[in-house]
Amino acid sequence: MAEEQKAKGVNRRTFLQLVASIPAVGALAAFAAPLLRYLKPNLEPGLGVPQGKVPPDLAEGDLPKGEPLPIARLEELAEPWSSKFFVFTQKYPQYTPEQAKAATVPGVAIRLPWKVRFPGYKEGKEPTDIVVFSRICPHLGCIFNYVPDWREITAGYGGYVPPPERRHGLLGCPCHLSIYDPADREVPGRVLSGPAPRPPRYFVYEVRNGVIVVTAVEPGGIA
């Protein structure tokens, strides 16, 4: 009888010890879980690409890419200072194996009355009279406008008055009043006024059978 009661007491103590250890085990697990997750790689072997999906080409690093986009026929931009607006979709392969992360970049193509060396056309090695810019302001990411009449720049973009040689179509940001000259002979897109730290980013384009085709956007910046 005494031994039976003694056995019951041992079982009770064991049970109470197990119950008392549960909070300690839980606290240890809560502490260790984030550490183990930190040590685990984000990508499984094979980049975690679902079966049947094509893995992204990361050979060129994490540069965003987009599908070639026809934006205008040359005759649509036949006159100096004529323009064409468009939206380009660029993808960031580093975000997901499916290349699902994408951003839209509004742009504008402008026919100039003279030729310049534009970095987006044959890497600036041949002059062209067509320039194609992203409309995302390099200051804080607002969408700026192409303003064919410079007088509208003076009236509605902070009162900037361009010198006589720049009284033509300009680019103006309505948020913080940065003004750019798309036709600057040395630096197309040169900043004329406002807080922008640099010219707008450019699009890379080709002319295929009389059609202007955008193939990429200058990397970096706000998008």
Side-chain angles (χ1 to χ4, degrees):
M1 185 65 178
E3 291 182 356
E4 183 179 349
Q5 290 178 343
K6 184 178 179 181
K8 288 182 178 178
V10 172
N11 291 337
R12 189 180 297 112
R13 283 198 303 274
T14 302
F15 174 75
L16 292 176
Q17 287 173 349
L18 289 174
V19 171
S21 66
I22 290 176
V25 173
L28 180 61
F31 173 78
L35 178 61
L36 295 176
R37 179 63 188 89
Y38 175 78
L39 296 175
K40 180 182 178 182
N42 287 327
L43 294 179
E44 299 295 340
L47 295 178
V49 179
Q51 189 173 7
K53 295 285 186 179
V54 178
D57 179 11
L58 301 181
E60 298 180 7
D62 58 358
L63 297 180
K65 297 179 179 178
E67 298 294 330
L69 178 68
I71 60 170
R73 297 186 300 276
L74 288 176
E75 55 263 34
E76 292 181 83
L77 299 176
E79 300 297 325
W81 304 115
S82 57
S83 63
K84 185 71 177 291
F85 294 93
F86 63 92
V87 176
F88 182 78
T89 300
Q90 62 178 350
K91 298 178 180 179
Y92 296 83
Q94 75 273 28
Y95 283 151
T96 68
E98 297 81 9
Q99 304 184 57
K101 176 65 177 180
T104 54
V105 182
V108 59
I110 306 169
R111 171 80 79 171
L112 305 179
W114 51 77
K115 292 189 175 183
V116 298
R117 293 193 180 276
F118 182 68
Y121 180 69
K122 297 187 177 181
E123 299 179 345
K125 297 176 181 177
E126 295 185 18
T128 177
D129 55 359
I130 295 176
V131 292
V132 188
F133 288 106
S134 161
R135 293 178 58 213
I136 297 177
C137 183
H139 175 222
L140 287 178
C142 294
I143 307 300
F144 61 74
N145 301 315
Y146 169 55
V147 185
D149 187 346
W150 64 270
R151 296 174 185 81
E152 294 184 17
I153 286 285
T154 298
Y157 291 81
Y160 172 74
V161 180
E165 67 274 16
R166 297 188 189 274
R167 291 178 179 175
H168 49 235
L170 297 172
L171 304 170
C173 182
C175 293
H176 304 98
L177 309 177
S178 292
I179 309 297
Y180 311 92
D181 185 354
D184 186 277
R185 297 177 186 273
E186 300 297 326
V187 182
R190 181 188 295 276
V191 180
L192 301 181
S193 179
R198 52 155 292 164
R201 284 179 167 74
Y202 59 82
F203 279 99
V204 179
Y205 76 90
E206 302 170 359
V207 177
R208 302 177 182 175
N209 299 321
V211 176
I212 302 170
V213 179
V214 165
T215 59
V217 62
E218 180 186 358
I222 304 169

